[in-house]
């Protein structure tokens, strides 16, 4: 069986993944003499930098997702199919999916990344990742369910487990999530749950390194640390998680551990590589090793971009940052290089332009680094909001997110606190009834 796509005599460029990188390749090839086939397991593109706001009730999922078909519905040479890739046959220039096989002339792997639990099976079993819309919604439902369950007749330890939160990873995602939880504790939960003593609620942020936001400046790191401490977050630097049984987090610093029914894992990611690529092409972090043109090691017609690609350079010996700007720039360059390939022109190497880094830590609090420029506080917070609105796809999404942010700013409220689809806990407290499956 073959995936049904329109017949075409044009060279076929097959793109796997509708993230930032995959969309950039397709955009570079729109209205060009190619048949572009884009495959993704979802029919929407996710704006991942705002997933933590979905998880903490600040935004609804559909405001950070956009239908992929709508992005390209005016470009006749771009075909989109929803499919799961099951394997790649580079020799036969064919991709296997759950819908059947699809041949290609050029293949672009923009498969992105998934949560890296570093081989800790118990943590993988019980902790919550936050890489997809579904995971963020599950986390939001779990957070709200915890507070609903905390109203039952529980002993103090069980109540502590339900109202304590551990965020693992001191990068932008971890810092932003911890800050959002602290804002919930301060401004929202006391009104929703007046019967609970939320002074007992604890938020822990665990980082294996010696500072937060390791990829940013020392000034940003210190600002994030000071701000989170003022918000009441318990910071644990130079601390490694050694295990989690669904109730207690153990670390290399504490034999007793931290009681928490919710652990949010933001400590690392690894590339998603489809079956069929030679192991010799896969490097550190399960990323595909690519040359200066983003061609996968050992292949002439297979490219990799974004989180799944590792291009070693003098400035980035371990590969470029796994962030949206890098994926988008790689995608645009690969698209243009494929055009040059067909024309017989020499390829142009990829050069990353670092547009800076930023992280928000809470209301009126953020840090921004751009070259030698450092901003913090309100101006950095406004800059962070403007940049994120700019990169959202679709006017409606920008408008909805902006209105939500304005509403939250003036009302100190997060409006999306609905348990639409109860999330079944993998571990239940001893006497609580299991939550019904969706």
């Amino acid at each position: 069986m073959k995936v049904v796509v329109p017949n075409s005599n044009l060279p076929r460029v097959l793109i796997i993944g509708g993230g930032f990188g995959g969309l950039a390749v397709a955009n570079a090839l729109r209205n060009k003499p190619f048949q572009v086939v884009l495959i993704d397991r979802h029919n929407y593109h996710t704006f991942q930098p705002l997933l933590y706001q979905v998880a903490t009730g600040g935004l609804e999922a559909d405001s950070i997702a956009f239908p992929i078909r709508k992005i390209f519905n005016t470009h006749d040479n771009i075909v989109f199919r929803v499919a799961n890739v099951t394997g790649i046959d580079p020799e036969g220039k064919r991709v296997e999916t759950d819908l059947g096989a699809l041949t290609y002339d050029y293949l672009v792997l923009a498969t992105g990344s998934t949560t890296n639990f570093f081989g800790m099976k118990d943590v993988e079993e019980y902790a919550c990742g936050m890489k997809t819309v579904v995971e963020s919604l599950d986390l939001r439902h779990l957070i709200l369910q915890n507070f609903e369950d905390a109203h039952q007749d529980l002993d103090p330890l069980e109540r502590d487990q339900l109202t304590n939160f551990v965020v693992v990873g001191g990068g932008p995602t971890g810092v932003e999530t911890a800050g959002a939880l602290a804002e919930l504790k301060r401004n929202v939960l006391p009104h929703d749950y007046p019967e609970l003593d939320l002074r007992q609620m604890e938020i822990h942020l665990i980082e294996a390194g010696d500072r937060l936001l390791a990829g940013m400046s020392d000034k940003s790191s210190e600002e994030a640390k000071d701000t989170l401490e003022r918000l009441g977050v318990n910071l644990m630097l130079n601390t490694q998680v050694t295990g989690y049984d669904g109730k207690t987090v153990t670390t290399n610093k504490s034999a007793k551990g931290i009681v928490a029914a919710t652990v949010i894992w933001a400590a690392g990611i690894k590339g998603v590589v489809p079956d069929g690529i030679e192991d010799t092409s896969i490097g550190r972090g399960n990323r595909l090793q690519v040359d200066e043109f983003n061609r996968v090691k050992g292949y002439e017609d297979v490219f990799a971009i974004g989180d799944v690609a590792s291009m070693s350079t003098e400035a980035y010996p371990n590969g470029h940052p796994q962030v949206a700007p890098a994926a988008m720039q790689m995608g645009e360059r690969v698209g243009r290089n494929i055009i040059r390939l067909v024309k017989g022109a020499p390829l142009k190497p990829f050069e990353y332009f670092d547009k800076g880094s930023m992280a928000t830590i809470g209301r009126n609090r953020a840090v921004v680094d751009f070259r030698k420029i450092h901003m913090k506080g309100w101006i950095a917070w406004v800059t962070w909001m403007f940049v994120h609105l700019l990169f959202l796809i679709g006017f409606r999404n920008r408008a909805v997110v902006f209105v939500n942010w304005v509403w939250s700013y003036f009302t100190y409220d997060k409006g999306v606190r609905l348990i639409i689809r109860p999330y079944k806990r993998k571990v239940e407290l001893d006497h609580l009834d299991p939550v019904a499956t969706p």
Side-chain angles (χ1 to χ4, degrees), residues 123 127 165-168 204 206 236 239-252 254-265:
V123 175
F165 297 86
V166 174
V167 181
V168 184
H204 304 269
I206 300 176
M236 302 173 66
T239 304
Q240 296 180 358
V241 171
T242 57
Y244 179 52
D245 62 1
K247 300 178 182 180
T248 304
V249 179
T250 56
T251 71
N252 63 332
S254 172
K256 182 180 178 181
I258 306 167
V259 295
T262 305
V263 171
I264 303 168
W265 193 265

Side-chain angles (χ1 to χ4, degrees), residues 303-319:
F303 299 81
I305 60 174
D307 288 356
V308 76
S310 177
M311 182 189 298
S312 179
T313 66
E314 184 177 349
Y316 302 96
N318 295 319

Side-chain angles (χ1 to χ4, degrees), residues 7-29:
N7 292 325
S8 175
N9 294 323
L10 298 173
R12 177 179 291 168
V13 179
L14 178 56
I15 306 168
I16 303 176
F20 292 105
L23 296 187
V25 178
N27 273 321
L29 296 174

Side-chain angles (χ1 to χ4, degrees), residues 93-114:
K93 304 189 73 167
R94 186 173 65 177
V95 170
E96 300 289 345
T97 78
D98 56 351
L99 299 180
L102 188 63
T103 59
Y104 64 83
D105 293 292
Y106 303 98
L107 176 64
V108 182
L109 300 176
T111 45
S113 58
T114 188

Side-chain angles (χ1 to χ4, degrees), residues 62 107 119 164 216 278-279 287 429 437:
D62 63 356
L107 176 64
N164 288 352
M216 298 184 68
E278 294 179 0
D279 291 342
R287 301 169 74 180
L429 302 185
T437 54

Side-chain angles (χ1 to χ4, degrees), residues 56-344:
T56 54
L59 296 173
E60 192 49 276
D62 63 356
S63 61
I64 67 164
F66 197 84
I68 293 177
R69 288 186 180 277
K70 190 172 181 179
I71 299 173
F72 299 114
N73 59 8
T74 59
H75 305 299
D76 294 337
N77 72 316
I78 299 177
V79 179
F80 174 68
R81 293 291 183 266
V82 176
N84 284 299
V85 173
T86 57
I88 297 173
D89 175 13
E91 297 298 325
K93 304 189 73 167
R94 186 173 65 177
V95 170
E96 300 289 345
T97 78
D98 56 351
L99 299 180
L102 188 63
T103 59
Y104 64 83
D105 293 292
Y106 303 98
L107 176 64
V108 182
L109 300 176
T111 45
S113 58
T114 188
T115 305
N116 189 355
F117 293 98
F118 302 100
M120 292 185 285
K121 297 298 183 182
D122 55 344
V123 175
E124 183 174 358
E125 179 70 16
Y126 300 123
C128 300
M130 200 166 51
K131 287 290 293 178
T132 67
V133 168
V134 172
E135 288 180 336
S136 292
L137 288 172
D138 286 343
L139 180 54
R140 186 183 81 192
H141 298 145
L142 179 59
I143 291 171
L144 296 174
Q145 283 171 207
N146 284 348
F147 286 100
E148 296 297 335
D149 290 343
H151 282 83
Q152 299 190 40
D153 184 18
L154 306 175
D155 65 41
L157 177 60
E158 291 174 321
R159 188 170 285 110
D160 283 347
Q161 287 175 327
L162 287 168
T163 58
N164 288 352
F165 297 86
V166 174
V167 181
V168 184
T173 300
V175 166
E176 290 173 346
T177 303
L181 288 171
E183 294 285 354
L184 275 177
K185 177 183 177 180
R186 275 190 168 196
N187 302 321
V188 178
L189 297 177
H191 302 289
D192 283 3
Y193 303 99
E195 300 155 76
L196 295 178
D197 183 5
L198 290 171
R199 292 174 299 180
Q200 304 302 314
M201 173 183 170
E202 294 183 352
I203 303 166
H204 304 269
L205 176 57
I206 300 176
E207 165 57 35
D210 58 2
R211 69 184 186 98
L212 302 177
L213 302 176
M216 298 184 68
S217 67
D218 291 339
K219 289 182 179 179
S220 292
S221 177
E222 282 301 312
E223 177 68 16
K225 178 177 179 293
D226 293 343
T227 300
L228 287 174
E229 288 177 338
R230 289 198 299 271
L231 288 172
V233 177
N234 301 318
L235 297 182
M236 302 173 66
L237 302 178
N238 295 305
T239 304
Q240 296 180 358
V241 171
T242 57
Y244 179 52
D245 62 1
K247 300 178 182 180
T248 304
V249 179
T250 56
T251 71
N252 63 332
K253 294 289 186 67
S254 172
K256 182 180 178 181
I258 306 167
V259 295
T262 305
V263 171
I264 303 168
W265 193 265
I269 58 177
K270 59 183 179 180
V272 177
V273 179
D275 291 339
I277 298 295
E278 294 179 0
D279 291 342
T280 54
S281 303
I282 303 174
R284 179 180 176 181
N286 208 50
R287 301 169 74 180
L288 292 168
Q289 299 178 69
V290 299
D291 63 14
E292 67 271 29
F293 309 116
N294 282 95
R295 290 182 300 199
V296 176
K297 178 182 176 181
Y299 303 94
E300 291 295 319
D301 50 14
V302 179
F303 299 81
I305 60 174
D307 288 356
V308 76
S310 177
M311 182 189 298
S312 179
T313 66
E314 184 177 349
Y316 302 96
N318 295 319
H320 293 86
Q322 291 167 289
V323 294
M328 295 167 70
Q329 291 176 39
M330 285 182 181
E332 182 178 3
R333 173 58 65 198
V334 165
R336 294 184 182 279
N337 270 338
I338 290 175
I339 295 173
R340 298 177 71 86
L341 268 176
V342 172
K343 291 181 177 180

